[in-house]
């Protein structure tokens, strides 16, 4: 009965009657009724001044409910009646200074927390969500479909804490604030969820487990010590947080999932990306050839992997296990949890996906600038042929091969450059006296471990594909 009362109370508190909903909207929107409303069931801080944006404290890894409410008037947006919409959740930086270095900040976090995600959906607790997805390259983003006509509640978990992005100098520095942003889209005529409907966000800070409760208590005690006159300058603490309307997140490419072109027609070759954009600009990885459980696998993906590999009876036991958690289990751990027969089978399945690659090679794209320099050197008949090449800087990328076939090498090179394998016609290896030897399975099987190659490209004669030359 207590839980039912709590749910009813959250329904009442979700109504748009609070000051923080109106305070951050432009004046011309004060009377505007938004099509959707998102309510985070977590209390706001009492130490926020009037007319300032609310601030909500969350515990790391704890599941928090966000209610997705259909707020449309009768007859508004009839085109989505009986249809699903897509919502994309993001945890992003509130401070503009950190927004400019978002990519570097997230890459640093990924390096320090391998296999972890910044944002996850607690699927077992969520209600009404369809096809939830978490892109492995988007640690701070999740998405799902939902029906506005049905009750929808999504439980999210934030796994980073605010102090992880603070410049540590003396200890005790304040953590940086984040934003939870929700962007909702409807289908276009092609069935793609690209037409923007509504966006809203709120400001949060994330603490270590139980730290948010202590911080909330500290703020409340500070406010109790203030005079009545001083208290009038501050907002009361609301039991829920209303996400306020905002501009849509600019990286809409994540919604379209459109492949980025890999070839540069002006130079008849393709080039690697600069690597300095937001994670939202990275291309979607191709679907895996085999059903691999990776250290980067999220708890939701691990649950799906267990189902696919006939371990459904143990999904509840491993509800919060990520791929990294499962891969760290020893043989004795798995047998103790699952019993001898299924434990050995699960351990063998996990072990089979931890095998080191059979061959590792390193590749680097040849520098066009260096090629032009060398041509100029030849034309001028300089005596020192290597004069400028010593100062050139090459960046190599690792390619891991399991099947040791020419088809696999083609797919891996295409994946590295974010192009289709069909755009690679043939792969050659430069042999003695500069001859081009066609790469075969047998040749790859005789490559030395950690061999280094420089990639050159040559336009094919018949179509828009390219030949790759390993030097």
């Amino acid at each position: 009965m207590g839980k039912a009362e709590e749910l009813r109370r959250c329904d009442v508190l979700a109504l748009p009657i609070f000051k923080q909903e109106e305070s951050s909207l432009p004046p011309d929107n004060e009377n505007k009724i938004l099509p959707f409303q998102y309510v985070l069931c977590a209390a706001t801080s009492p130490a926020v001044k009037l007319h300032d944006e609310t601030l909500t404290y969350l515990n790391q890894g704890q599941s928090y409910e966000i209610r997705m409410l259909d707020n449309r008037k009768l007859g508004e947006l009839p085109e989505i009646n009986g249809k699903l919409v897509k919502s994309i959740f993001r945890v992003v930086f509130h401070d503009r200074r950190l927004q400019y270095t978002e990519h570097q900040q997230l890459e640093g976090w990924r390096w320090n927390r391998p296999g972890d995600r910044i944002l996850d959906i607690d699927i077992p607790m969520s209600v009404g969500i369809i096809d939830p997805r978490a892109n492995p390259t988007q640690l701070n983003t999740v998405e799902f479909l939902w029906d506005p006509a049905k009750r929808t509640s999504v439980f999210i978990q934030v796994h980073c804490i605010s102090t992880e992005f603070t410049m540590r100098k003396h200890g005790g520095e304040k953590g940086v604030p984040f934003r939870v942003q929700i962007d909702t889209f409807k289908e276009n005529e092609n069935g793609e969820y690209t037409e923007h409907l509504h966006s809203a966000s709120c400001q949060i800070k994330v603490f270590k487990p139980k730290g948010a409760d202590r911080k909330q208590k500290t703020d409340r005690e500070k406010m109790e010590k203030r005079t009545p006159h001083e208290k009038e300058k501050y907002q009361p603490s609301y039991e829920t947080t209303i996400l306020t309307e905002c501009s849509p997140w600019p990286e809409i490419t994540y919604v379209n999932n459109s492949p980025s072109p890999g070839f540069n027609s002006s130079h008849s070759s393709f080039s690697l990306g600069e690597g300095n954009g937001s994670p939202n600009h990275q291309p979607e990885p191709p679907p895996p050839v085999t059903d691999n459980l990776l250290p980067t696998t999220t708890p939701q993906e691990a649950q799906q992997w267990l189902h696919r590999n006939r371990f459904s009876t143990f999904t509840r036991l491993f509800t919060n296990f990520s791929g990294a958690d499962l891969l760290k289990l020893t043989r004795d751990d798995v047998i103790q949890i699952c019993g001898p027969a299924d434990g050995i089978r699960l351990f063998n399945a996990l072990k089979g996906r931890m095998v080191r690659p059979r061959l590792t090679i390193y590749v680097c794209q040849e520098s066009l600038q260096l090629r032009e320099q060398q041509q100029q050197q030849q034309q001028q008949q300089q005596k020192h042929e290597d004069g400028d090449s010593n100062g050139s800087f090459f960046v190599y990328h690792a390619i891991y091969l399991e099947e040791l076939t020419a088809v696999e090498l083609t797919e891996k090179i295409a994946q590295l450059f974010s192009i289709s394998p069909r755009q690679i016609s043939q792969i050659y290896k430069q042999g003695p006296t500069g001859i081009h030897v066609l790469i075969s399975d047998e040749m790859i099987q005789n490559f030395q471990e950690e061999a280094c190659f420089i990639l050159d490209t040559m336009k094919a004669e018949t179509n828009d594909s390219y030949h790759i030359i390993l030097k």
Side-chain angles (χ1 to χ4, degrees):
M1 189 66 184
K3 184 171 284 189
E5 289 176 356
E6 183 181 347
L7 288 173
R8 283 200 299 270
R9 184 182 64 190
C10 197
D11 276 328
V12 173
L13 291 169
L15 295 174
I17 58 174
F18 298 117
K19 291 182 181 179
Q20 72 262 33
E21 185 199 10
E22 299 176 355
S23 61
S24 61
L25 294 177
D28 57 346
N29 285 342
E30 283 187 358
N31 298 320
K32 178 182 176 182
I33 298 179
L34 304 173
F36 302 110
Q37 189 174 65
Y38 316 124
V39 183
L40 170 62
C41 290
T44 62
S45 167
V48 177
K49 291 187 176 181
L50 290 174
H51 310 298
D52 284 352
E53 185 180 13
T54 59
L55 175 61
T56 304
Y57 303 134
L58 304 183
N59 288 315
Q60 178 189 27
Q62 182 173 326
S63 296
Y64 289 92
E65 180 184 14
I66 295 183
R67 298 201 165 212
M68 315 289 288
L69 304 177
D70 185 357
N71 217 22
R72 291 176 295 157
K73 296 178 182 177
L74 186 64
E76 184 181 4
L77 295 174
E79 64 272 21
I80 67 173
N81 289 340
K83 294 186 177 181
L84 302 177
V85 296
K86 173 186 276 189
S87 287
I88 301 177
F89 282 49
R90 292 179 175 88
V91 171
V92 295
F93 292 113
H94 175 76
D95 294 340
R96 193 171 297 276
R97 174 182 59 85
L98 289 171
Q99 291 174 7
Y100 290 137
T101 60
E102 177 191 270
H103 179 70
Q104 292 87 339
Q105 297 287 343
L106 296 183
E107 283 302 309
W109 192 88
R110 187 201 302 265
W111 178 265
N112 293 323
R113 302 271 295 276
D116 288 349
R117 288 187 56 82
I118 287 177
L119 180 63
D120 268 327
I121 297 177
D122 190 340
I123 292 179
M125 293 188 67
S126 299
V127 177
I129 66 172
I130 302 168
D131 193 22
R133 296 187 180 187
N135 187 334
T137 65
Q138 309 277 334
L139 301 182
N140 61 332
T141 306
V142 294
E143 64 177 49
F144 58 88
L145 305 176
W146 59 289
D147 185 348
K150 297 180 180 178
R151 180 195 167 200
T152 303
S153 283
V154 57
F155 283 78
I156 64 166
Q157 299 169 338
V158 183
H159 299 291
C160 62
I161 59 176
S162 294
T163 53
E164 287 183 280
F165 300 97
T166 303
M167 295 295 292
R168 290 180 174 82
K169 297 179 180 179
H170 309 291
E173 288 83 6
K174 291 184 177 180
V176 302
F178 302 121
R179 301 197 69 79
V180 173
Q181 173 149 343
I182 304 175
D183 299 290
T184 299
F185 302 85
K186 66 178 180 179
E187 280 185 301
N188 60 16
E189 60 270 10
N190 299 322
E192 300 171 334
Y193 291 91
T194 55
E195 293 194 23
H196 179 256
L197 287 173
H198 178 239
S199 294
S201 65
C202 68
Q203 185 181 190
I204 63 168
K205 277 191 177 183
V206 185
F207 296 80
K208 290 182 178 180
K210 297 186 178 180
D213 308 285
R214 290 192 293 268
K215 176 61 174 170
Q216 188 80 355
K217 181 181 177 182
T218 301
D219 284 359
R220 189 167 57 247
E221 291 173 347
K222 286 182 178 178
M223 292 306 301
E224 289 173 354
K225 295 177 182 178
R226 295 184 181 273
T227 64
H229 179 69
E230 290 175 328
K231 288 181 182 179
E232 291 177 356
K233 300 176 183 179
Y234 291 85
Q235 302 179 23
S237 174
Y238 301 106
E239 293 189 42
T240 58
T241 304
I242 309 293
L243 277 69
T244 54
E245 186 182 18
C246 65
S247 301
W249 191 254
E251 275 71 25
I252 304 301
T253 52
Y254 179 75
V255 182
N256 296 334
N257 290 334
S258 57
S260 55
F263 283 84
N264 186 334
S265 57
S266 61
H267 295 290
S268 296
S269 67
F270 56 82
S271 59
L272 289 170
E274 295 294 332
N276 60 353
S278 165
N280 292 323
H281 292 298
Q282 298 178 4
E284 286 276 353
V289 179
T290 55
D291 189 14
N292 289 334
L293 184 72
L294 303 173
T296 54
T297 300
T298 66
Q300 291 77 25
E301 293 165 341
Q303 292 281 300
Q304 297 167 6
W305 181 87
L306 290 168
H307 279 291
R308 289 194 302 269
N309 289 273
R310 296 174 289 117
F311 296 108
S312 301
T313 53
F314 303 108
T315 52
R316 184 172 293 275
L317 283 171
F318 296 115
T319 296
N320 296 316
F321 278 65
S322 65
D325 296 329
L326 287 170
L327 293 172
K328 289 175 185 176
L329 293 174
T330 66
R331 186 174 185 270
D332 291 339
D333 291 336
V334 179
I335 290 175
Q336 185 176 358
I337 294 170
C338 303
D342 286 317
I344 291 173
R345 188 168 67 89
L346 177 56
F347 179 74
N348 288 337
L350 295 170
K351 184 179 178 182
R353 287 161 174 79
M354 294 173 63
V355 178
R356 292 175 60 86
R358 293 175 63 188
L359 178 68
T360 301
I361 62 173
Y362 304 110
V363 298
C364 167
Q365 186 186 13
E366 184 175 17
S367 169
L368 295 173
Q369 182 179 1
L370 175 60
R371 193 187 306 172
E372 292 171 357
Q373 288 176 354
Q374 290 173 341
Q375 290 174 352
Q376 291 174 1
Q377 289 169 1
Q378 292 174 359
Q379 293 171 358
Q380 296 171 3
Q381 297 180 350
Q382 294 179 350
K383 295 182 180 180
H384 303 288
E385 294 181 357
D386 298 328
D388 291 333
S389 60
N390 293 332
S392 300
F393 178 73
F394 291 94
V395 177
Y396 283 81
H397 297 261
I399 291 181
Y400 304 106
L401 300 175
E402 295 287 352
E403 301 171 8
L404 305 186
T405 64
V407 172
E408 183 189 23
L409 180 60
T410 301
E411 291 174 346
K412 291 296 178 72
I413 291 177
Q415 180 180 346
L416 181 63
F417 291 107
S418 305
I419 62 172
S420 168
R422 297 192 192 93
Q423 293 178 272
I424 299 178
S425 178
Q426 297 287 355
I427 301 181
Y428 300 95
K429 184 177 185 298
Q430 184 169 293
T433 68
I435 63 173
H436 294 162
V437 183
L438 184 65
I439 291 284
S440 65
D441 297 351
E442 188 176 2
M443 182 184 291
I444 294 175
Q445 290 162 11
N446 283 281
F447 277 175
Q448 291 186 353
E449 176 70 10
E450 297 193 329
C452 298
F453 299 100
I454 292 180
L455 297 186
D456 195 6
T457 59
M458 183 172 63
K459 193 168 179 58
E461 303 80 10
T462 55
N463 50 34
D464 292 333
S465 61
Y466 288 75
H467 300 309
I468 306 294
I469 304 167
L470 303 183
K471 295 183 178 180

